[in-house]
Amino acid sequence: MAAQFGRRLCKGAATTAVAAVAVAALSASQAPGVNDHGRQAAADATPSPDASASDGSATGNSPYYTDLPPLNSPSPSPSTGTGPTTPGTSEAGIPATVLDAYKKAEAALRDAKPGCNLPWQLLAAIGRVESGQARGGRVNAEGTTISPILGPQLDGNGFALIKDTDNGAYDGNSTYDQAVGPMQFIPSTWAWAGRDANGDGKKDPNNIYDAALAAGHYLCRFDWDLSDQKDLDRAILSYNNSREYLNLVMRWLEYYRKGTHEVPDGTGTLPGNRSDNGAGASPGPSTPRTPGTPAAGGSKPKPSPPAPAKPGGGGTTKPKPPTTPPATPPDSPSTPPSPPATPTDTVHHLEDAGTAKLTAMAGDTFTKRISTRAETKAGKAVGKVRIRFTIVGDTDTTFTGGESVATVATNSSGVAVAPALQAGEKTGDVTVRATVVGRMVAGLDYTATVTERAADALARTGDAALTCAPGGEFANQVEVKATYKGAVADGVAATATLIKSADDPTANDKGPFFKDADGKAVRTLTGLKTDAKGLLKLPKLYADDTTGTFLLRITTEGGATLTVELTVAAAETSSPSPSASPSA
C-alpha cells in the first residue's frame, strides 16, 4: 500500500459520485433485514443524524481503500476440496496473525472497558479499509509489518495540514506527519493512544497487536457503547471524519459479522481502489461509461434504440438541437448559495466558566473540573460546539480513563465541562488547553497543580516500650501509620531523625542509632515512604554506651509529626539477701 500512497487525495465530485453509486448498487443488491446478532442490517443502518467526529481523527483523515464487500455472504468455513473457490472466500479471509490480533484486542477491551462492547469485526472492518489487513498479512511472527505502511504526507495539498509532531520518529518525516501502520495512526494520536499489546516494552504502530489494541481503546474512549448505533457512528467518524468512510466501514462490519475465516499470512487479498486515486481506479458496480466506449471485455456498446414515432404516424424524427447552447444549465443559479453558518462558525472566543482552583495530591483524582464557555463576539453563549481539552507538557497526569485528550460538546449555556483529571506521580503545574474543534480561535489555558502525597496524622501501631541496654539492640522496631483526613496516606515521603531534644530537632551525636549498608551508625533516615496501607516500619535501632532517655522524631510531607521516646538503661541488679540474725 505504501507505493500507492504517493497519489493525492481526490475529493472531487466524480469520486464522490462513483462511491455513492457503488454504495447504492450494493444496497439494492442486499436484502434488508436483521442479521444473526439481532442488529440492524447494513442496508438499513443509517448513520445517526447527530453523529460527528470527536476531533481531528485518528488517521488525520488520510486516504483509505474503497473496495466494497462482495455481494455474496462469506462462508465461515471454505471448502477444502479442489473445486472453484466460493465467491467471497478470498475477500472474507483475514490473515491469521492479523485476525489473532483483532480477537486479542476484543478480549482485552472486554476486561478493561466491558461497557464498550467492542466487536473484533469492527477492528477487522477498519483494518480492511485502512491497510487491506496489513497489506494482506505481510507481517512477521511477532505481528510487525514486513515493511512500513505509510500514508501520504499531510502537507495541506489535497489533505489536512499536520506539521511534524514526532520529529520523524514514527513516519520518517520531520516536516509533515503521515499516517503509520496497519491501523494508520498519525503520530500525534499514537503518542497518547499507543499501546504495548505484545509485551515487548514498545508501543509500535507498525505492530498489528499494538495497533489493534490502540484502535480498540481509541474507539472505546468517552464511555461509548458500540452496541448503540449512535455511539458506533461517532466512534467510526472519530477515526476518519467522512460519511463515505462510515458507510464503507459499516458494510465491512456487517459482512464480517456474517462469517469469516483465517488465511495464511501474506496471502490475503489486497484491495485495488482507494479514495485518493479514484480517477484511475476500476469503475464501481454501476459506474456509467462514456458513450461509445467499449465495455469491459472488448464488447461493443449496443446501438441506441430509435426515437419513438410521432403520434399519428409519420415515422421517426430526431429532435433538433438548439441553435445556441444556453448560457447556464436550466434552473441553475449563476452563483451557488452560501451554506448557512454553523454554531462553530459563530464562536469568537472562549471564556472560563467559573473553574475553581485545581489542586490534587499525586495519585488522587481532582475534585474540581475545568469548565469552558464558547461565546460570540457579542458575548452570547454558543451551544453544540465541540471543545477539545488537551493536557500538554511533560506530565503523567491524565483525564480519568488514561487519555490526555478529551472532546466535549457545549450545552445550551455554551459550557463544556472536561472530564475529571487524574493526578500522576510527577508533581508541579500541569497545563490543560481548551480549543474549539474546527475553528481557529485562541485557546484557553488552565493550570492544575499536583502536590506531593501528604499525611496530616501519624500514630504508632503498637504500644510496647522501646528500651535497650547500653551497647545492645532494641527488641521492638518502630512502626507507624500515616493518614490524611482520616484516610490511609500511601506513598507519603517521610524522614526519621534521632534528635537532641524536643526543642532542638538537629540530629543527636550520641545515644540510639540506625545502621547504614556498611554497618556504620546513622541518626537520620531520608527517602522513606509509607506503603499501600499507609504503614512505615523503621529499621532496627541500636544503642551505644550512653544511657538516658532519647527522642526519635518522624515527619512526613504535609506536616504530620510523631515523637517517640527511647530508653537506654543498664539492667537492674538484684539486692543481696540480708544475713540471718545470730541465734539467741
Side-chain angles (χ1 to χ4, degrees):
M1 182 168 160
Q4 301 181 50
F5 266 113
R7 304 289 297 275
R8 288 294 177 262
L9 176 60
C10 228
K11 293 187 179 178
T15 302
T16 303
V18 170
V21 171
V23 171
L26 182 60
S27 298
S29 67
Q30 291 178 333
V34 178
N35 62 22
D36 295 339
H37 299 264
R39 293 176 55 83
Q40 192 176 17
D44 297 325
T46 305
S48 54
D50 60 344
S52 60
S54 65
D55 48 36
S57 88
T59 68
N61 297 327
S62 292
Y64 52 91
Y65 285 118
T66 59
D67 291 32
L68 294 166
L71 298 180
N72 295 322
S73 298
S75 172
S77 299
S79 173
T80 57
T82 58
T85 303
T86 303
T89 297
S90 59
E91 291 88 346
I94 300 176
T97 299
V98 178
L99 180 60
D100 184 56
Y102 295 152
K103 292 185 175 180
K104 279 185 167 58
E106 179 197 58
L109 267 298
R110 192 184 304 125
D111 293 333
K113 296 183 178 180
C116 177
N117 295 305
L118 171 79
W120 67 260
Q121 291 92 339
L122 176 59
L123 297 176
I126 291 175
R128 168 75 186 196
V129 170
E130 290 295 345
S131 69
Q133 310 297 20
R135 290 205 193 107
R138 295 188 67 246
V139 297
N140 63 20
E142 290 71 42
T144 302
T145 57
I146 303 299
S147 58
I149 301 175
L150 294 174
Q153 65 177 15
L154 300 173
D155 57 4
N157 184 16
F159 309 112
L161 173 60
I162 304 179
K163 294 186 178 180
D164 177 65
T165 60
D166 65 328
N167 199 28
Y170 294 117
D171 55 14
N173 190 334
S174 59
T175 305
Y176 299 100
D177 272 352
Q178 295 174 245
V180 180
M183 303 304 281
Q184 289 289 277
F185 280 95
I186 54 174
S188 57
T189 302
W190 184 261
W192 60 266
R195 295 293 193 278
D196 175 19
N198 59 0
D200 64 354
K202 297 186 298 182
K203 299 176 182 179
D204 184 3
N206 294 298
N207 182 277
I208 185 59
Y209 288 98
D210 292 0
L213 183 60
H217 277 279
Y218 184 93
L219 294 164
C220 287
R221 69 201 195 287
F222 306 139
D223 294 325
W224 280 331
D225 178 1
L226 302 187
S227 65
D228 179 86
Q229 187 65 48
K230 290 184 178 180
D231 280 357
L232 179 60
D233 291 349
R234 294 186 183 101
I236 296 172
L237 283 170
S238 79
Y239 212 89
N240 191 312
N241 189 14
S242 161
R243 285 285 169 172
E244 291 79 12
Y245 182 90
L246 168 62
N247 292 335
L248 184 60
V249 169
M250 282 299 302
R251 298 288 174 192
W252 281 106
L253 169 60
E254 297 301 335
Y255 184 77
Y256 285 134
R257 282 186 186 277
K258 295 173 183 176
T260 188
H261 61 280
E262 70 177 42
V263 297
D265 289 345
T267 66
T269 301
L270 186 64
N273 301 309
R274 293 192 342 116
S275 60
D276 63 337
N277 65 349
S282 302
S286 301
T287 304
R289 289 184 292 274
T290 304
T293 303
S299 60
K300 295 181 179 180
K302 295 181 179 179
S304 300
K310 290 183 178 181
T316 62
T317 59
K318 295 182 179 179
K320 292 183 179 180
T323 54
T324 57
T328 59
D331 303 323
S332 295
S334 57
T335 304
S338 300
T342 65
T344 301
D345 295 331
T346 67
V347 177
H348 178 265
H349 60 272
L350 295 176
E351 290 285 346
D352 176 45
T355 303
K357 186 177 180 180
L358 299 166
T359 304
M361 287 194 300
D364 288 352
T365 300
F366 283 76
T367 56
K368 308 296 182 182
R369 295 164 69 178
I370 295 171
S371 297
T372 301
R373 187 170 187 258
E375 296 183 353
T376 65
K377 188 174 182 179
K380 292 184 178 180
V382 184
K384 298 183 179 179
V385 173
R386 302 187 74 80
I387 306 298
R388 181 187 299 138
F389 298 95
T390 306
I391 301 172
V392 298
D394 182 18
T395 179
D396 55 354
T397 292
T398 64
F399 293 112
T400 50
E403 311 292 1
S404 60
V405 179
T407 304
V408 181
T410 58
N411 58 20
S412 58
S413 300
V415 176
V417 180
L421 287 165
Q422 176 68 42
E425 294 302 322
K426 293 183 179 179
T427 58
D429 289 342
V430 177
T431 299
V432 180
R433 182 165 299 149
T435 55
V436 181
V437 176
R439 179 76 168 161
M440 294 295 292
V441 298
L444 191 61
D445 284 356
Y446 294 85
T447 300
T449 303
V450 180
T451 62
E452 295 280 358
R453 294 172 182 257
D456 57 12
L458 282 173
R460 282 190 65 194
T461 57
D463 56 3
L466 300 169
T467 60
C468 180
E473 175 183 312
F474 284 81
N476 298 310
Q477 289 178 245
V478 178
E479 184 181 65
V480 297
K481 182 174 183 178
T483 55
Y484 183 79
K485 295 182 179 180
V488 167
D490 62 313
V492 178
T495 300
T497 305
L498 292 148
I499 59 176
K500 289 184 176 179
S501 69
D503 299 324
D504 186 356
T506 58
N508 209 335
D509 55 0
K510 57 184 177 180
F513 59 89
F514 300 104
K515 289 182 179 181
D516 64 13
D518 297 325
K520 296 180 180 179
V522 292
R523 292 186 169 86
T524 299
L525 296 179
T526 59
L528 305 172
K529 279 194 174 183
T530 59
D531 65 15
K533 296 180 179 180
L535 299 177
L536 174 63
K537 191 170 187 177
L538 299 182
K540 287 185 177 181
L541 279 163
Y542 303 87
D544 61 13
D545 57 1
T546 308
T547 60
T549 300
F550 301 90
L551 300 179
L552 169 65
R553 180 163 292 173
I554 305 167
T555 59
T556 66
E557 186 71 33
T561 302
L562 177 67
T563 302
V564 180
E565 283 192 358
L566 306 172
T567 302
V568 179
E572 293 184 5
T573 57
S574 57
S575 301
S577 300
S579 302
S581 299
S583 56

